[in-house]
Amino acid sequence: MKKEGFQPLAYIGFAAATLLTLTLCVCAGSVALPPLETLGVIGKAILGIAQEGARSAIILSVRLPRVLCVALSGAALALCGGVMQGLLRNPLADGSTLGVSAGASLGAVAAIAFGASVPFLRLAGTMAMAMLSATLSLGIILALSYRLDRSFSSHTIILIGIIYSMFVSGILSLLIAFSGEKLRTITYWTMGSLQGSTYLNAAALLAALLVFGGVMLFHARELNAFAVGEANARSVGVNVKRVRLLMLICASALIGVCVSIGGTIAFVGLVTPHILRLLTGPNHKKLLPATVFGGAIFLMLADLLARVIVSPLELPIGVVTSLIGAAVFTVILLRGRKGDAHA
Amino acid sequence: MLEVQDLSVRYGENQVVCGASFTVQSGEWLMITGPNGAGKSSMLSALMQGVPYTGGIRFEGENLQSMKPRRRALCMGLLAQRYASGYAFTVEEIVRLGRYAYHDALSGFDAADENAVAQALHETGTYELRSHPVSRISGGELQRAFLAQLFAQNPKLLLLDEPSSHLDLAYQKQILTLISGWLRQGGRAVISVMHDLAVARRFGTRVMLLHRGHIEADGAPEQALSPSLLSRVYGMDVEAWMQGLYGVWSD
């Protein structure tokens, strides 16, 4: 019988595709840069060799931190989507359907509107508020779900999540309406953008991905059992309540960090696991690692489109992911109806 | 093996199981039967710790409520009435999940696990189907795949929630025969919820008749399924109905 899990060759293939996309995205833009020169500049920077000139400044100060943030956000959001879809046994589950993204947005928008900040750490106020609000939202959603259904069934959680998202979008509209001179900042932010990202943002995203994403990847076997069914997961020995709570908390915290840095970026968490499930099958031991790489690639390409399609202007990345995501998702659903899709 | 004391299950104001007490010994196949809404599936869910309940459930003297889930899975496993995973796991992936309880978070599959999975696939006749997605096999094959998962899990007590109710006769026979064979291996017991009274009588070593959450009868199949008891519980002449159904086949 063949081995389960992601094989070394698959890791190498996905990692190579991710690095290739990253290089392409750093090279391409309003000023096109040769790949070899770009890699040389990055290599020298890693070795600590000082560099001067406009090109190295574009690569190291503008494009590289942004592309890194985009890749890490894509990986994190797609991973959260894959985990939620397995956990709740529902291919339509992700941060947005669960209400967590809306909750994180509420916290971040409130921080921008009321000027919440942490001294010397730009964005730290927004990040803290987004994480806090995402986790608090999860608490509210779980408390309401528990009140309705003591067994914490997935359907109840998703239903409450959708209702909560609608409620939060009303509050967001209210905040935006009264935001005065911050209207433009908040509106642009809610559409999602990673323009002006820094290495500090990338470090925060990497740390969150390593901690929360690591915990989620570690529970691939449990997620397989959940994806088959809660009763089956309980029967084979999974601690259903503990694992569900742990996964939801990790996903909420990770989404909170992503939202605080890049705003609301829709469809990455929904579409990427769908596409990759066609390639790897539903086994989370293969699907989740593939989703991490796939999410990074998907969002880097979407960000590249956002930068070049109406250059020198730039589209919000959330607009691009929504347009691509809706089209891809429709194709997947139509294929699924014909019985061709795996999920 | 299993000792249930004063078990009650309540959904809001509606009490569906009312103070049930019984024991199950090794070698027994206890058939729980009764009309719709009698509390059969709720009782099974409570045994699996799937719904909140009051009362005590002990397995070989150990309180099930305080037992760790992995340890509980080595004691008992559930075969549900119907599985409808939206994801196309292969038969082999489903069966491999049966070995979950044998590992902590860090240990991987070893040769013993591979052997147990292969043996379970062979015993249930699903070895040839092992690479098939569960979304593309028949209901009977799917039920055999999940039975293979239970065989790989190898608990001492099987809980079955109407395992053959939606299967055709050939698959019903396959599933029930496989379970009978498993039970004969010793040190094991089966509890199943069963609507089909003929199957309950044919395969059960003991029958529990439930009515509105109460145990109306619990004993040998011919006693618990006596015509007078059945008529009272079902509110109809069950004996005449069953003879009308099955009598034609003896002509």
Side-chain angles (χ1 to χ4, degrees):
Chain A
M1 285 182 282
K2 63 186 175 192
K3 280 197 159 192
E4 268 190 311
F6 220 47
Q7 301 304 311
L9 206 62
Y11 270 112
I12 293 167
F14 272 99
T18 307
L19 285 175
L20 207 66
T21 313
L22 191 139
T23 310
L24 169 75
C25 292
V26 175
C27 293
S30 52
V31 178
L33 300 163
L36 283 178
E37 184 187 340
T38 306
L39 289 173
V41 169
I42 295 171
K44 281 180 188 169
I46 291 169
L47 295 172
I49 301 167
Q51 296 170 88
E52 286 179 0
R55 284 176 175 239
S56 64
I58 290 173
I59 293 167
L60 296 176
S61 304
V62 181
R63 288 199 191 155
L64 188 60
R66 174 184 179 142
V67 174
L68 282 175
C69 281
V70 169
L72 290 164
S73 294
L77 291 171
L79 177 63
C80 291
V83 166
M84 285 178 176
Q85 287 170 20
L87 186 73
L88 302 175
R89 208 160 64 98
N90 191 322
L92 295 177
D94 87 330
S96 47
T97 46
L98 207 68
V100 178
S101 298
S105 298
L106 181 63
V109 167
I112 296 170
F114 300 118
S117 63
V118 175
F120 310 114
L121 285 173
R122 200 176 74 84
L123 259 182
T126 317
M127 190 182 290
M129 284 288 282
M131 284 180 74
L132 189 71
S133 181
T135 313
L136 199 66
S137 300
L138 178 74
I140 293 169
I141 291 158
L142 291 181
L144 285 171
S145 304
Y146 186 70
R147 193 165 168 76
L148 272 178
D149 172 6
R150 297 273 162 122
S151 70
F152 265 136
S153 91
S154 302
H155 292 106
T156 312
I157 294 174
I158 288 181
L159 192 66
I160 298 288
I162 290 170
I163 294 167
Y164 184 79
S165 296
M166 289 174 179
F167 171 72
V168 166
S169 73
I171 307 241
L172 275 175
S173 301
L174 204 66
L175 276 174
I176 290 167
F178 289 100
S179 57
E181 76 274 10
K182 288 172 181 161
L183 175 70
R184 190 178 150 76
T185 316
I186 292 175
T187 308
Y188 197 77
W189 182 87
T190 55
M191 286 188 279
S193 173
L194 284 147
Q195 199 175 13
S197 300
T198 62
Y199 288 113
L200 195 63
N201 295 148
L205 280 167
L206 181 64
L209 186 60
L210 286 175
V211 174
F212 302 119
V215 172
M216 291 192 279
L217 284 165
F218 200 63
H219 283 81
R221 276 193 300 181
E222 285 81 357
L223 288 166
N224 280 342
F226 267 101
V228 172
E230 282 171 29
N232 193 247
R234 189 174 288 112
S235 172
V236 300
V238 175
N239 191 333
V240 170
K241 280 188 180 171
R242 189 189 67 81
V243 171
R244 187 193 284 128
L245 196 63
L246 184 66
M247 292 298 98
L248 290 175
I249 287 172
C250 285
S252 303
L254 196 48
I255 288 170
V257 174
C258 291
V259 167
S260 70
I261 291 171
T264 312
I265 303 173
F267 271 104
V268 185
L270 200 59
V271 171
T272 315
H274 267 276
I275 296 170
L276 288 162
R277 211 174 277 119
L278 297 172
L279 193 69
T280 65
N283 190 332
H284 290 82
K285 286 185 168 185
K286 295 180 213 160
L287 176 66
L288 294 186
T291 302
V292 169
F293 291 112
I297 293 170
F298 176 76
L299 203 58
M300 280 192 286
L301 292 176
D303 185 57
L304 182 63
L305 269 181
R307 281 191 283 137
V308 300
I309 205 161
V310 288
S311 180
L313 293 175
E314 190 173 305
L315 289 175
I317 191 172
V319 173
V320 178
T321 56
S322 294
L323 291 174
I324 298 174
V328 171
F329 203 60
T330 307
V331 171
I332 291 171
L333 283 179
L334 288 173
R335 281 193 64 198
R337 283 181 72 89
K338 286 178 190 166
D340 292 337
H342 271 283
Chain B
M1 183 181 275
L2 186 77
E3 189 183 346
V4 178
Q5 195 67 41
D6 202 21
L7 177 72
S8 295
V9 179
R10 177 188 288 274
Y11 301 126
E13 294 300 305
N14 186 21
Q15 184 150 5
V16 290
V17 180
C18 313
S21 297
F22 59 94
T23 58
V24 177
Q25 306 299 330
S26 172
E28 279 190 318
W29 186 337
L30 173 65
M31 295 283 189
I32 303 174
T33 192
N36 288 333
K40 305 181 294 292
S41 293
S42 297
M43 185 182 277
L44 214 59
S45 297
L47 294 180
M48 273 309 296
Q49 310 298 300
V51 291
Y53 63 86
T54 58
I57 307 174
R58 303 183 85 81
F59 189 91
E60 293 179 341
E62 203 175 335
N63 187 351
L64 267 183
Q65 248 173 343
S66 56
M67 199 183 269
K68 290 219 162 83
R70 274 193 167 90
R71 162 106 181 88
R72 190 182 65 228
L74 300 180
C75 299
M76 57 170 65
L78 173 76
L79 183 67
Q81 186 177 38
R82 191 184 285 262
Y83 289 94
S85 174
Y87 301 116
F89 286 97
T90 63
V91 168
E92 188 182 327
E93 284 169 338
I94 294 290
V95 179
R96 289 172 81 96
L97 278 174
R99 300 298 292 176
Y100 173 81
Y102 290 84
H103 300 277
D104 57 24
L106 294 172
S107 62
F109 248 54
D110 57 23
D113 297 310
E114 297 291 354
N115 287 340
V117 169
Q119 192 182 339
L121 286 166
H122 281 297
E123 280 175 3
T124 53
T126 51
Y127 190 79
E128 299 303 321
L129 299 169
R130 66 190 185 282
S131 304
H132 288 48
V134 290
S135 53
R136 297 196 184 160
I137 58 176
S138 70
E141 289 167 340
L142 183 65
Q143 204 67 332
R144 275 192 289 151
F146 278 96
L147 193 60
Q149 184 196 77
L150 273 177
F151 284 3
Q153 186 175 329
N154 196 25
K156 292 177 182 170
L157 174 65
L158 282 193
L159 302 176
L160 315 172
D161 190 1
E162 298 188 51
S164 58
S165 63
H166 66 288
L167 302 181
D168 68 29
L169 287 177
Y171 280 131
Q172 270 192 30
K173 187 183 167 194
Q174 275 182 7
I175 293 288
L176 293 166
T177 308
L178 281 167
I179 295 164
S180 287
W182 181 86
L183 181 62
R184 276 198 297 273
Q185 290 176 38
R188 294 164 166 182
V190 180
I191 300 177
S192 31
V193 166
M194 189 61 72
H195 261 302
D196 190 325
L197 297 177
V199 171
R201 188 162 177 161
R202 162 73 180 76
F203 286 91
T205 60
R206 202 174 119 205
V207 172
M208 180 190 290
L209 186 61
L210 282 184
H211 185 44
R212 292 178 183 161
H214 294 276
I215 298 175
E216 287 290 323
D218 181 1
E222 60 275 14
Q223 288 167 350
L225 298 177
S226 72
S228 58
L229 266 173
L230 289 175
S231 298
R232 184 152 60 82
V233 166
Y234 284 90
M236 60 180 278
D237 188 346
V238 175
E239 188 181 23
W241 173 251
M242 295 295 276
Q243 279 177 351
L245 276 180
Y246 294 105
V248 292
W249 300 105
S250 55
D251 292 342

